């Protein structure tokens, strides 16, 4: 099995000003390819530490992937560090220089001299074309091992990974088959009780992960081929599916919004968000059922949308009653089949409290959450709870 | 100067299923404290690799911070790894056992046996109380160096860091003073030209970082005290401020939404989002100027909000004219002083195209963006562009 390490390069990553989403993407890609990732490291723009980091990683792993540090400026040191680690000397590649100059000419500009180092290669490196930027990557074969250097901007990195690196990697001698089951409404420890001894195996194995949308359960198996891995996982997967069906809302790439959309079966959804500031709309982005939303905490506006002044006075905006009135209002005033409303407190005593309600089509359901956090977390939890409510209500056959 | 390394623990981080936001938080905290972070590493739940990782980090750094792996289950191995690295034997601490049992008793439950290991200590470790979870942290003093183990859940980690770790760290013998200037409307390379030789110094220094909201410029200096560092940075900071004033919208913790809110000076903002799915609302969350928003791509609904059928037919929804009509509609139909509308294409030929318009109070401004990406990136760029438009328009004294 191929062993990999990722090294993300950039002092800005060590200041915490940027979250390293590239490494997460590469980690997923490696897992899907059956490559074992044992370590991710972040290093600053320091030649000595980069050189040492590359050498150490090559001592442990078969494949070392570097992200970032391929720009034209003095603090872009990935090329220099690989060359130093392998004791090779970079030279300018005429074809790469011509390609770079062509990029600038096409924009009516002259290539700055500093960009010349983006045309460097070392003897053991093959250049990886970059169709969406100026930094070619490197694919280095050295002593039976591989070093891959990718640009930092996510779009450039992902395109190069997919189009250039994947086809050059050795075929895996080992395949991983994993299925992720998405649940909601059961905690991680209760879920472990429900699964019991099923969790004990190593291959196939079960892992549980707490997410905003509930607990994810991952059933995985490895074998020489994808087909054998799938066959190995299948009996356990069926048992897990059966035990968790009550709480399961989807598998693998399903999103709660997409399964809700399917469950709505053509019915439209009108949304009122009071305090969650468009977070629910963002979750519903692109779903055909999502018709229209009003996002406001303005009391006068909310009253025109169905909130009664009596409820506002006696129970306040962050109340079950207010959510129910606004859900009815969403259906009526936004002209949708179903109305979904969420009211969220992010300040003072009501910080962390939220209520959601669904109205219409014989349904009248509510859900409440109370879990203090920062306002953004509260909004996110409230929006996810509202969406979960819509999903559960929508998938139940209407009897009324 | 104190040298630090961060080790994030968890196999799930190596699958890329979670982005490591803890490490970014700690990196920011360390920078603010004047601690130099040279390396961040992610390791899986593997005793041998964790032990080796801790030892290696202790060979390079004064302070090693571990995040995660303090739970009660078999794959939570941070305590075991620290004990093994330092060649010490964990024992159960009676006070911690009593505290843990109290937590369960308060919830009417009995503490599971597996939780006992959360009461472990080694001779060189002091327990760090966890007021929001069941995993105490460790603060380890060993051979003049420090090892800190923090729980993985962000809320627990941050509380423990702030309340328990910071007061125990040695006073910095060195202080960093940094000011971040937020700009918009100028690219990173043009900005480097404007600043010219100012960028060359090492202390004080200038760094530039491309962000969704524009380019950030960080002016930093280090000195024995905060006051001396501030004095050292001051002359450069004033020069940079003067050179960038045309493009500057804020500094440090300012957000584009907050400075827009201030610039609006009490005027209210009505918002229509057609295609950006609440992303602009989320940026405006909590701002007093933000009155009400309609979020929809439904043509009939948009027509009731001010879009003319002629524009829809001849120019389409993703057009400057549509944005202008909807901005006027946002003001009129949502009862706000100013109307802000954004129309976004996320599919087909118009993917990546967006237009925003502001209307009212003598203002009538538009901005367009065209930068293909995934739908989420397109929505984010469009919402930021709309907010930037509102800021620039609102801060200009009204003359009409």
């Amino acid at each position: 099995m191929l062993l990999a390490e990722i090294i993300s390069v950039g002092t800005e990553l060590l200041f915490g000003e940027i979250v390293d989403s590239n490494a997460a993407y590469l980690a997923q890609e490696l897992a899907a390819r059956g490559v074992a990732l044992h370590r991710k490291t972040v290093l600053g723009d320091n030649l000595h530490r980069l050189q040492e980091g590359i050498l150490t990683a090559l001592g442990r792993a078969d494949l070392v992937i570097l992200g970032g540090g391929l720009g034209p400026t003095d603090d872009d040191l990935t090329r220099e560090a690989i060359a130093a680690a392998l004791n090779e000397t970079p030279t300018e590649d005429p074809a790469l220089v011509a390609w770079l100059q062509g990029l600038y000419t096409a924009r009516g500009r002259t290539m700055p001299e500093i960009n010349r180092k983006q045309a460097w290669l070392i003897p053991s490196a093959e250049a990886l074309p970059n169709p969406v930027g100026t930094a070619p990557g490197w694919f280095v074969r050295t002593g039976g091992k591989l070093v891959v250097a990718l640009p930092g901007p996510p779009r450039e990195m992902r395109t190069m990974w997919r189009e250039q690196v994947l086809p050059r990697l050795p075929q895996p001698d080992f395949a991983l088959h994993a299925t992720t089951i998405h649940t909601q409404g059961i905690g991680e420890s209760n879920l472990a009780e429900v699964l019991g001894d099923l969790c004990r195996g190593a291959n196939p194995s079960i892992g549980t992960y707490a997410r905003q949308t509930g607990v994810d359960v991952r059933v995985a198996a490895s074998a020489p081929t994808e087909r054998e891995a799938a066959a190995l996982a299948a009996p356990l997967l069926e048992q897990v599916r059966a035990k968790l069906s009550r709480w399961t809302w989807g598998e693998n790439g399903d999103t709660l919004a997409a399964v809700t959309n399917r469950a709505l079966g053509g019915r439209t959804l009108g949304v009122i968000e009071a305090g969650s500031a468009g977070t629910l709309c963002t979750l519903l982005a692109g779903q055909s059922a999502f018709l229209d939303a009003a996002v406001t905490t303005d009391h006068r506006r909310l009253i025109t949308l169905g909130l009664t002044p009596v409820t506002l006075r006696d129970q306040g905006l962050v109340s079950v009653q207010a959510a129910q009135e606004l859900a009815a209002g969403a259906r009526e005033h936004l002209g949708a089949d179903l109305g979904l409303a969420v009211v969220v407190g992010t300040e003072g005593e009501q910080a962390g409290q939220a209520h959601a309600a669904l109205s219409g089509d014989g349904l009248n359901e509510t859900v409440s959450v109370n879990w203090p956090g920062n306002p953004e977390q509260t909004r996110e939890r409230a929006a996810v709870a509202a969406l979960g409510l819509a999903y559960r209500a929508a998938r139940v056959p209407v009897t009324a």
Side-chain angles (χ1 to χ4, degrees), chain A:
Chain A
M1 184 174 188
L2 210 63
L3 275 189
E5 296 200 9
I6 295 172
I7 301 177
S8 300
V9 182
T11 300
E12 69 277 18
L13 292 166
L14 291 177
F15 283 127
E17 292 170 356
I18 294 180
V19 169
D20 187 8
S21 60
N22 279 354
Y25 170 84
L26 286 173
Q28 286 183 335
E29 287 285 303
L30 291 170
R33 178 82 178 197
V35 176
L37 178 65
H38 275 188
R39 190 181 301 248
K40 291 194 286 188
T41 308
V42 180
L43 293 171
D45 304 315
N46 176 292
L47 184 59
H48 170 72
R49 283 196 285 277
L50 282 173
Q51 176 185 351
E52 183 265 327
I54 293 166
L55 268 180
T56 310
L58 271 175
R60 291 183 295 237
D62 310 301
L63 167 63
V64 177
I65 304 169
L66 292 123
L70 293 183
T73 65
D74 287 348
D75 59 359
D76 290 305
L77 294 166
T78 296
R79 280 174 292 258
E80 287 86 336
I82 296 173
L86 304 183
N87 203 18
E88 297 189 31
T89 307
T91 52
E92 225 175 80
D93 182 78
L96 286 177
V97 174
W99 172 76
L100 271 171
Q101 284 172 333
L103 282 185
Y104 282 88
T105 307
R107 297 177 199 170
R109 294 176 53 196
T110 308
M111 183 180 86
E113 277 302 300
I114 59 166
N115 285 69
R116 281 189 170 269
K117 78 173 191 173
Q118 296 190 303
W120 285 2
L121 279 182
I122 52 173
S124 63
E126 176 186 2
L128 301 176
N130 184 344
V132 287
T134 64
W138 278 12
F139 192 91
V140 180
R141 294 173 177 88
T142 177
K145 302 203 166 188
L146 301 172
V147 180
V148 176
L150 299 171
R155 203 159 61 103
E156 299 180 32
M157 189 277 286
R158 293 175 190 210
T159 305
M160 196 178 286
W161 172 260
R162 244 184 356 253
E163 297 179 2
Q164 303 296 332
V165 180
L166 275 185
R168 284 174 173 83
L169 289 183
Q171 281 306 311
D173 53 2
F174 155 97
L176 184 77
H177 183 89
T179 305
T180 299
I181 298 169
H182 307 297
T183 73
Q184 195 172 63
I186 178 167
E188 209 169 352
S189 54
N190 290 335
L191 201 144
E193 283 174 20
V194 169
L195 294 177
D197 285 346
L198 295 183
C199 293
R200 294 190 189 273
N203 188 24
S205 68
I206 291 179
T208 60
Y209 309 97
R211 297 272 182 274
Q212 280 279 20
T213 51
V215 179
D216 280 0
V217 179
R218 188 170 183 274
V219 179
S222 60
T225 66
E226 161 75 21
R227 200 166 164 168
E228 290 167 271
L232 186 58
L236 179 62
L237 182 58
E238 284 317 305
Q239 285 179 282
V240 173
R241 277 182 178 141
K243 282 186 187 279
L244 300 184
S245 64
R246 265 185 67 186
W247 301 280
T248 299
W249 58 260
E251 289 194 358
N252 299 326
D254 285 341
T255 65
L256 194 48
V259 297
T260 304
N261 199 57
R262 279 206 296 275
L264 285 167
R267 290 172 288 178
T268 57
L269 197 62
V271 170
I272 293 177
E273 292 194 59
S276 50
T279 311
L280 179 53
C281 292
T282 305
L283 291 178
L284 285 165
Q287 303 301 336
S288 58
F290 175 41
L291 185 69
D292 187 11
V295 181
T296 183
T297 53
D298 185 66
H299 289 179
R300 277 179 304 183
R301 173 69 177 144
L302 288 167
I303 285 167
T304 70
L305 288 166
L307 179 64
T308 64
V310 173
T311 296
L312 189 58
R313 185 193 66 204
D314 295 346
Q315 306 187 43
L317 174 57
V318 185
S319 64
V320 172
Q321 179 68 22
Q324 286 175 328
E325 291 174 0
L326 287 168
R331 185 166 50 91
E332 188 179 337
H333 296 282
L334 305 179
D337 296 324
L338 294 165
L340 179 63
V342 57
V343 293
V344 180
T346 56
E347 294 178 342
E349 286 185 13
Q350 294 190 303
Q353 286 180 36
H355 308 280
L358 185 83
S359 162
D361 215 6
L363 301 167
N364 194 356
E365 309 270 343
T366 63
V367 67
S368 298
V369 297
N370 185 0
W371 194 354
N374 67 39
E376 199 181 320
Q377 289 171 322
T378 300
R379 287 184 199 113
E380 179 86 21
R381 280 197 198 103
V384 168
L387 194 53
L389 171 72
Y391 169 67
R392 289 190 302 276
R395 74 170 173 169
V396 174
V398 181
T399 53

